[in-house]
């Protein structure tokens, strides 16, 4: 209910977490009744009566709720808390910091942030500069079918499964995944696989299951599994015994993707090292479509540079020229270039005693100094492209390496 008071909202959350708690539910019903929401009060009283059929308080409340008018009744002489609360709402800090309540009623295991559901509204695909290839492929492989249920029906099962973004570090995989969620108007549940594994050692299967359960409740929802390789990489490195189970749990959840329960749940994953991802996860119907996210192209670099320079004191910056001088740099590298240029201008100002703005020569010098952080990645990708391109899985990568004369 949009106009529920914060207290009613909190109680609703608490009741959802402890559905069998009759006094708690009656407390909620009482408040709903006071707020004039007698229908909602009836519904809560009914559930309470299911749990405790003989409960006198529940019966009494039910009777009152059934007979009450569906209007807020300002009680004579009573202090209007609601109005008072609204009046001081923005001067008085909230009394409690809202903690996410886990819907299964279990105690919070600590940092529950790993699967906070975000509502979309932030980034859209239009905010992703350039990368037209990636956008087109996302549109065809993911967005169009999701937006259009008819199309989904037409293609039936061939559209189930999820999408894996891969590529060198710092080139926008996470950023693009967020944009996809924004585009769909879907909730976005971002999960770092490393967190799933590390935070609650021994609990990772349950965590994995709960992530998907949360997503099913929030549908339409995009589940974004970042650092997917953590599952495979750790398994081979430490022979972690629980890892197999975690992978299996993920497989189970993914295989449920086209069942009715998973309607509206979409899976995106990202990794720098797709060759470390368990091959079972890449089978048809699972994370079977891949999109390569390469270092930003010209328009993307322009967007990124513009963003990082937006609050800095600059003068006469020729973005076109800078874009040309930064070919091959990742998003993270570009951020570093802007940082380094600012530092240069600052040191200069300190030395000469006259303040000067950041100019082209600072930026170009910084761009010349930075070593593309994607180079080690391309070195290992090259081997994979040459020796392990089974089934043409890495054809995009091969094409890029050839074009860049790295193969
Ligand atoms: N095409 C783009 N348009 C605008 N900004 C971009 C673009 N690509 C990357 N960026 C910027 O670069 C930053 C780094 O990208 P991001 O964190 O998504 O990379 P990543 O591929 O997920 O890296 P990692 O592999 O390290 O997780 C983002 O925060 C974003 O601001
Ligand atoms: Mg990332």
């Amino acid at each position: 209910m949009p106009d529920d008071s914060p207290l009613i909202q909190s109680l609703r959350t608490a009741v959802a977490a402890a559905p069998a708690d009759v006094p708690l539910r009656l407390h909620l019903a009482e408040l709903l009744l006071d707020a004039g929401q007698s229908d909602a009060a009836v519904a809560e009283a009914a559930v309470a009566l299911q749990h405790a059929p003989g409960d006198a308080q529940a019966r009494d409340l039910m009777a009152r709720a059934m007979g009450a008018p569906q209007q807020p009744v300002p009680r004579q002489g009573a202090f209007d808390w609601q109005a008072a609360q609204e009046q001081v709402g923005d001067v008085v800090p909230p009394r409690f910091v809202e903690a996410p309540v886990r819907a299964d009623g279990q105690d919070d295991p600590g940092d529950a942030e790993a699967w906070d559901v975000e509502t979309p509204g932030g980034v859209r695909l239009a905010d992703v500069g350039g990368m037209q290839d990636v956008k087109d492929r996302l549109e065809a492989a993911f967005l169009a079918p999701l937006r259009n249920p008819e199309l989904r029906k037409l293609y039936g099962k061939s559209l189930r499964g999820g999408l894996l973004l891969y590529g060198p570090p710092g080139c926008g995989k996470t950023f693009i995944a967020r944009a996809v969620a924004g585009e769909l108007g879907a909730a976005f549940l971002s999960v770092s696989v490393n967190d799933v594994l590390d935070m609650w050692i021994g609990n990772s299967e349950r965590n994995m299951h709960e992530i998907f359960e949360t997503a099913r409740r929030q549908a339409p929802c995009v589940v974004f599994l970042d650092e997917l390789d953590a599952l495979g990489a750790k398994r081979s490195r430490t022979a972690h015994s629980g890892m197999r189970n975690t992978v299996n749990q993920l497989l189970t959840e993914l295989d449920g993707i086209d069942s009715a329960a998973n309607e509206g749940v979409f899976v995106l994953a990202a990794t720098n090292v797709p060759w470390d991802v368990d091959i079972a996860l890449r089978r048809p119907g699972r994370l079977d479509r891949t999109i390569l996210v390469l270092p930003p192209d010209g328009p993307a670099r322009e967007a990124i540079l513009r963003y990082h320079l937006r609050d800095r004191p600059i003068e006469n910056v020729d973005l076109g020229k800078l874009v040309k001088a930064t070919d091959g740099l990742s998003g993270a590298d570009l951020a570093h270039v802007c940082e380094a240029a600012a530092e240069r201008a600052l040191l200069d100002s300190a030395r000469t005693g006259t303040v000067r703005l950041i100019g082209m020569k600072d930026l170009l010098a910084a761009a010349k100094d930075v070593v593309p952080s994607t180079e080690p990645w391309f070195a290992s990708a090259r081997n994979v492209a040459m020796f392990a391109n089974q089934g043409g899985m890495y054809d995009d990568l091969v094409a890029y390496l050839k074009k860049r004369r790295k193969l």
Side-chain angles (χ1 to χ4, degrees):
M1 298 258 163
D3 49 2
D4 276 351
S5 75
L7 182 56
I8 290 184
Q9 276 172 23
S10 313
L11 274 173
R12 275 193 196 280
T13 321
V15 165
D21 189 337
V22 172
L24 189 65
R25 197 179 285 276
L26 289 177
H27 189 36
L28 170 62
E30 195 76 64
L31 284 174
L32 287 168
L33 190 57
D34 278 353
Q37 300 188 39
S38 46
D39 285 353
V42 168
E44 296 302 339
V47 181
L49 280 170
Q50 274 171 20
H51 286 287
D55 191 295
Q57 202 198 339
R59 286 176 175 218
D60 165 58
L61 213 152
M62 182 60 128
R64 278 189 289 134
M66 302 270 288
Q70 177 71 337
Q71 281 289 316
V73 247
R75 271 180 279 165
Q76 276 295 309
F79 182 72
D80 191 347
W81 278 106
Q82 177 91 29
Q85 216 167 35
E86 271 160 23
Q87 262 173 30
V88 297
D90 41 28
V91 265
V92 179
R95 293 194 310 127
F96 301 107
V97 180
E98 292 281 339
V101 174
R102 300 217 315 173
D104 61 357
Q106 303 274 337
D107 283 346
D108 196 308
D111 187 357
E113 265 203 329
W115 47 84
D116 271 0
V117 177
E118 295 168 29
T119 26
V123 217
R124 303 285 302 260
L125 268 192
D127 299 314
V128 179
M131 320 284 266
Q132 198 53 48
D133 264 17
V134 172
K135 288 182 197 165
D136 290 349
R137 293 208 46 202
L138 274 172
E139 182 64 35
F142 203 69
L143 295 167
L146 295 188
R147 272 200 283 258
N148 186 336
E150 289 304 309
L151 204 63
R152 213 148 72 214
K153 235 176 263 161
L154 192 66
Y155 287 92
K157 289 209 159 158
S158 65
L159 285 176
R160 71 194 181 130
L163 192 69
L164 179 66
L165 300 170
Y166 79 96
C171 291
K173 296 181 293 297
T174 305
F175 191 62
I176 287 168
R178 276 170 195 285
V180 165
E183 211 54 43
L184 284 171
F188 187 71
L189 215 163
S190 175
V191 191
S192 145
V193 173
N194 263 315
D195 290 346
V196 174
L197 295 176
D198 290 342
M199 262 194 243
W200 306 287
I201 293 163
N203 263 340
S204 10
E205 290 153 77
R206 208 186 82 187
N207 295 339
M208 196 56 89
H209 179 64
E210 273 173 18
I211 287 160
F212 279 84
E213 283 293 295
T214 310
R216 286 173 193 125
R217 277 194 298 270
Q218 301 277 339
C221 183
V222 173
V223 177
F224 175 50
L225 302 167
D226 212 351
E227 306 159 8
L228 184 72
D229 45 278
L231 280 178
K234 286 202 177 171
R235 189 161 54 121
S236 53
R237 237 188 291 133
T238 65
H240 188 313
S241 59
M243 200 63 66
R244 185 74 251 168
N245 297 337
T246 315
V247 174
N248 285 340
Q249 186 62 45
L250 178 54
L251 291 174
T252 308
E253 304 295 341
L254 288 172
D255 286 346
I257 273 173
D258 76 329
S259 74
N262 271 340
E263 184 64 39
V265 175
F266 312 113
V267 180
L268 259 181
T271 178
N272 296 340
V273 277
W275 36 87
D276 274 358
V277 170
D278 197 309
I279 197 75
L281 284 169
R282 313 259 320 246
R283 297 224 175 91
R286 294 168 181 168
L287 297 166
D288 49 3
R289 282 157 292 158
T290 51
I291 293 186
L292 172 60
V293 180
L294 288 163
D297 55 18
R301 289 200 300 283
E302 184 179 332
I304 299 168
L305 286 166
R306 225 178 249 290
Y307 175 79
H308 288 295
L309 292 173
R310 74 195 181 290
D311 292 328
R312 295 187 196 271
I314 54 172
E315 63 177 349
N316 301 326
V317 170
D318 180 347
L319 266 185
K321 204 166 162 192
L322 191 55
V323 162
K324 280 212 188 75
T326 50
D327 189 23
L329 297 188
S330 73
D333 294 339
L334 292 170
H336 177 72
V337 166
C338 298
E339 194 76 33
E343 204 165 286
R344 234 181 86 108
L346 186 87
L347 284 178
D348 226 19
S349 302
R351 206 184 46 219
T352 61
T354 38
V355 176
R356 69 169 182 81
L357 303 178
I358 305 167
M360 251 337 241
K361 70 174 184 332
D362 303 307
L363 286 159
L364 289 175
K368 223 174 118 213
D369 279 351
V370 63
V371 181
S373 61
T374 53
E375 245 155 44
W377 188 88
F378 279 113
S380 39
R382 197 172 157 267
N383 288 326
V384 175
M386 278 200 294
F387 305 115
N389 185 19
Q390 299 113 334
M393 207 181 273
Y394 300 114
D395 280 354
D396 290 354
L397 180 60
V398 172
Y400 178 80
L401 290 172
K402 280 196 176 136
K403 201 172 105 203
R404 290 251 152 179
R405 303 186 190 287
K406 291 188 195 207
L407 200 69

